[in-house]
Amino acid sequence: MKILNKQILCKAGTKINEDVANMNEYGAWVLDGATGLNGENIVDGESDAKWFVTWWDTYLSNNIYKDENLQKIIEKGIKLIKEEFFNRAKDQNLSKIDFPSSSIVVIKWEKSCLEYFSLGDVLLMLQNEDKIQMIIDHNITKLDHKVFKAMEHLMEKEKKNMIEAKEDVMDLIVSNRLLKNTENGYWILGFNETAAKNGLYGTIKLGNNTKVFIASDGFTALADKYNYLNISEFIPEIEKTGVDKLYHILRDIEEKDSEGQLFPRFKKTMMPQPFISHLKITVSEREVEIFV
């Protein structure tokens, strides 16, 4: 595999970036991390989520090349990070809402195929000629939507601000978080090896002109939350406008609605994780463009 062209945009929306995107000659990945709801850091003074995604970034960098499928690589990683986390946490009495976690998409290219693995609400989009395929688990989005509707009601009827509304629906947020890695809830990258068997996994044959787009919900909010464009237009819009300009358009939307009156959300900016990269690679004589 040969990288022919590559553009990278990486800006943190908060002081601590709890998200990672990276790539090497074997594949690429995006992690959208979350710290436990207790607001305390158990194993890292700065941020448990930052520790979590940094660990996974290093692990994938060192293991994605192996002759194993992505499900097996992820499963082994979960076992290792769980052991390290609980060794660091020692004998603290912890519940599921205390644990860091992350949505993830990993892709691995080999010959004429693209292997993928996904947990959570990071979007993987592939365009083969004019055909677009989107791979994402909507279960988290559905749960979040219920929270946003409840917040919207409080903000409209009781004139609460965004922070007050979030505090008032915290019981619902906690209830949703307890559904993490359960059959009736949603699957996410955490400390449950079973999640590796319940992620979205498969291989896709690459065409002569395949384009791949990977982005967290902070960036896809341009389409599915702020209605700036249709989600199927992301790849041509990036090619036409560029990721840097789209980033500033997103920021402008959020700054104009800084109190979340038009678009209720968990924080003023939904985008602490933007790592957007563009590269063109050659795989078995096929050119493939990747937007991560």
Side-chain angles (χ1 to χ4, degrees):
M1 187 276 291
K2 181 181 180 182
I3 296 176
L4 302 177
N5 182 35
K6 174 174 159 183
Q7 299 176 27
I8 295 177
L9 169 67
C10 183
K11 297 181 181 179
T14 60
K15 291 182 180 179
I16 301 171
N17 193 348
E18 298 182 331
D19 311 280
V20 162
N22 205 353
M23 65 188 66
N24 60 23
E25 60 185 298
Y26 304 100
W29 51 92
V30 170
L31 292 127
D32 181 0
T35 293
L37 289 179
N38 61 8
E40 297 180 5
N41 293 311
I42 298 163
V43 300
D44 186 283
E46 189 175 26
S47 164
D48 281 355
K50 182 178 180 181
W51 171 84
F52 187 86
V53 298
T54 301
W55 188 99
W56 274 103
D57 183 41
T58 301
Y59 173 79
L60 289 170
S61 296
N62 294 334
N63 289 276
I64 195 171
Y65 75 92
K66 292 182 178 177
D67 188 21
E68 295 178 314
N69 67 50
L70 287 175
Q71 280 185 308
K72 180 59 65 176
I73 290 172
I74 296 296
E75 183 180 12
K76 288 182 176 180
I78 293 173
K79 291 178 181 178
L80 291 171
I81 195 171
K82 179 171 69 172
E83 181 180 1
E84 184 170 341
F85 178 86
F86 284 103
N87 283 339
R88 285 170 170 254
K90 301 189 184 303
D91 298 324
Q92 296 184 54
N93 186 21
L94 304 172
S95 72
K96 286 206 303 186
I97 66 169
D98 299 319
F99 300 154
S101 59
S102 178
S103 294
I104 184 172
V105 161
V106 188
I107 60 174
K108 184 178 180 181
W109 42 78
E110 184 176 354
K111 297 181 180 178
S112 61
C113 289
L114 189 75
E115 183 184 4
Y116 67 86
F117 178 85
S118 171
L119 282 168
D121 57 359
V122 173
L123 172 67
L124 170 60
M125 181 186 296
L126 298 103
Q127 180 178 317
N128 275 311
E129 303 301 336
D130 295 327
K131 183 180 178 182
I132 293 177
Q133 181 178 359
M134 288 184 281
I135 298 166
I136 187 171
D137 183 349
H138 292 289
N139 285 324
I140 295 177
T141 305
K142 291 176 182 176
L143 292 171
D144 285 347
H145 182 69
K146 292 179 181 178
V147 176
F148 295 142
K149 291 298 290 183
M151 289 174 61
E152 187 175 21
H153 175 80
L154 290 169
M155 294 167 73
E156 287 182 0
K157 303 299 182 182
E158 301 185 23
K159 307 305 178 184
K160 303 268 188 177
N161 62 39
M162 185 167 59
I163 303 302
E164 292 170 337
K166 180 183 176 182
E167 290 176 353
D168 285 356
V169 299
M170 187 55 66
D171 285 348
L172 179 56
I173 294 173
V174 171
S175 177
N176 287 348
R177 188 66 67 91
L178 289 173
L179 294 173
K180 177 172 63 177
N181 288 335
T182 64
E183 292 289 345
N184 297 321
Y186 62 96
W187 296 98
I188 201 78
L189 189 65
F191 300 132
N192 187 336
E193 297 96 316
T194 307
K197 297 181 175 63
N198 286 277
L200 303 178
Y201 171 77
T203 57
I204 296 172
K205 188 174 182 180
L206 298 173
N208 291 324
N209 185 22
T210 301
K211 298 173 183 179
V212 182
F213 172 67
I214 309 174
S216 68
D217 64 335
F219 195 71
T220 59
L222 273 170
D224 54 32
K225 193 171 188 68
Y226 303 146
N227 304 314
Y228 176 77
L229 48 72
N230 187 290
I231 198 162
S232 63
E233 298 170 345
F234 258 117
I235 291 176
E237 190 66 25
I238 287 173
E239 292 176 308
K240 181 180 74 174
T241 305
V243 292
D244 190 68
K245 186 174 181 179
L246 284 176
Y247 170 82
H248 288 292
I249 289 170
L250 174 62
R251 281 290 190 228
D252 186 57
I253 292 171
E254 292 178 335
E255 287 173 5
K256 288 179 178 177
D257 183 43
S258 61
E259 299 304 317
Q261 295 295 323
L262 294 175
F263 308 108
R265 50 198 187 269
F266 293 134
K267 43 197 168 187
K268 290 187 177 183
T269 173
M270 288 286 288
M271 199 175 178
Q273 65 275 13
F275 179 109
I276 314 298
S277 61
H278 167 212
L279 67 150
K280 183 181 287 186
I281 62 175
T282 297
V283 183
S284 296
E285 305 307 320
R286 290 181 171 87
E287 286 191 353
V288 182
E289 287 185 282
I290 310 284
F291 303 83
V292 183

